[in-house]
Amino acid sequence: FFNFCSARNLQKCIVTSAPPLVYYIPDFITEEEESYLLEQVYKSPKTKWTQLSGRRLQNWGGLPHPKGMVAEKIPEWLQTYCEKISSLGAFSGKTANHVLVNEYKSGEGIMPHEDGPLYHPTVTTISLGSHTLLDFYNTIGSDSQEEQQPQTEENRFLFSLLVKPRSLLILQEDMYKTLLHGIRPCEEDGLTEKVVNLAQAGGVKGETLTRGTRVSLTIRHVPKVIKNKLILGRK
Ligand SMILES: O=C(O)CCC(=O)C(=O)O
Ligand SMILES: [Fe+2]
């Protein structure tokens, strides 16, 4: 993969039909790595899971907080990928120190949201087990010429990215800072011209993809870290 992810090949992975800046890297990991990672995810203690409406998650590395994250050691099986992705330059020379593992059953999703200011403004995602469509939206109030229009989710929807299993997706700049992203809770995805990376992701217009269970590894860098819990109470 280091071979594949040369600076030149990375340039080719930019999704030019999306706002700046999206990299979509197909087959970033092998099927063996995918199986191994899924095995590790499902081997984690039951208590590591938090059930939310429409997904469940594991948080690794600590809880991001405005005052700083109390850093926790990331297990080796995730640390490897934190380092690999960081070595591509995704976090301006810093190493990722936070991983969110999300599991979506078919028909589950995540509401449109921003990842916010606690992270270096880059999110990198490895997908395991199934594809999904990641949908992008304008933020409320940003659609100035159409102020008459009610700002429904449908009206704010802009485009989607197809993310296949084993791919790496990197979102930076406007794609991180000014747009919302979410995953519709559905069991099937029709591939239309609204999917802006169809060719890069090996999708065919008109095709319908059936969702299975998808596990995503959302790998980020939290700049503000507190080494020792005791510091928390101090000025
Ligand atoms: O599962 C994904 O790819 C998206 C997850 C996400 O947006 C998040 O955890 O903030
Ligand atoms: Fe997110």
Side-chain angles (χ1 to χ4, degrees), residues 55 100 102 104 110 113 115 125 181 183 214 216 218 220:
R55 65 184 164 122
L100 215 55
N102 283 298
Y104 309 86
I110 184 170
H113 66 279
D115 286 357
T125 309
H181 57 274
I183 296 170
R214 171 171 173 268
S216 65
T218 302
R220 286 176 282 209

Side-chain angles (χ1 to χ4, degrees), residues 12-232:
K12 289 187 204 151
C13 293
I14 294 176
V15 178
T16 52
S17 41
L21 188 57
V22 184
Y23 295 87
Y24 178 82
I25 300 149
D27 297 307
F28 179 69
I29 59 169
T30 63
E31 288 188 15
E32 289 71 30
E33 289 176 280
E34 180 186 28
S35 307
Y36 173 74
L37 284 168
L38 284 169
E39 203 177 293
Q40 298 305 310
V41 166
Y42 289 115
K43 249 168 70 174
S44 300
K46 284 266 182 313
T47 52
K48 208 48 207 171
W49 288 105
T50 302
Q51 182 69 52
L52 301 177
S53 71
R55 65 184 164 122
R56 56 176 188 156
L57 62 84
Q58 297 176 2
N59 184 86
W60 297 98
L63 286 174
H65 187 276
K67 287 186 175 171
M69 176 174 81
V70 178
E72 294 165 9
K73 196 176 150 45
I74 292 178
E76 215 37 58
W77 57 274
L78 286 173
Q79 184 61 27
T80 306
Y81 293 92
C82 287
E83 287 170 15
K84 278 186 185 174
I85 292 168
S86 305
S87 74
L88 304 176
F91 307 100
S92 315
K94 300 290 196 309
T95 301
N97 57 358
H98 188 261
V99 184
L100 215 55
V101 177
N102 283 298
E103 183 207 56
Y104 309 86
K105 303 266 165 57
S106 176
E108 296 186 327
I110 184 170
M111 298 255 294
H113 66 279
E114 293 175 85
D115 286 357
L118 298 183
Y119 302 98
H120 175 95
T122 293
V123 54
T124 70
T125 309
I126 299 176
S127 294
L128 311 171
S130 174
H131 82 281
T132 201
L133 285 190
L134 194 60
D135 302 314
F136 290 84
Y137 302 85
N138 271 321
T139 50
I140 293 174
S142 62
D143 207 6
S144 49
Q145 67 266 57
E146 306 219 25
E147 259 158 17
Q148 336 293 69
Q149 290 271 65
Q151 298 202 321
T152 58
E153 192 169 295
E154 198 184 332
N155 287 337
R156 288 159 56 201
F157 170 72
L158 296 170
F159 59 86
S160 307
L161 292 171
L162 171 60
V163 287
K164 289 270 185 87
R166 298 178 293 284
S167 68
L168 173 69
L169 183 70
I170 304 178
L171 305 179
Q172 303 184 310
E173 300 180 20
D174 283 351
M175 288 293 290
Y176 183 97
K177 289 181 193 160
T178 62
L179 300 183
L180 305 180
H181 57 274
I183 296 170
R184 288 191 184 97
C186 52
E187 294 174 2
E188 285 185 340
D189 296 296
L191 302 185
T192 68
E193 59 290 330
K194 285 291 195 179
V195 181
V196 295
N197 69 329
L198 260 194
Q200 274 162 296
V204 176
K205 201 161 107 185
E207 190 182 11
T208 298
L209 299 180
T210 303
R211 282 194 203 168
T213 296
R214 171 171 173 268
V215 171
S216 65
L217 310 180
T218 302
I219 299 174
R220 286 176 282 209
H221 175 71
V222 177
K224 206 167 170 187
V225 162
I226 301 173
K227 292 265 150 39
N228 188 327
K229 273 187 197 193
L230 295 174
I231 295 167
L232 261 181

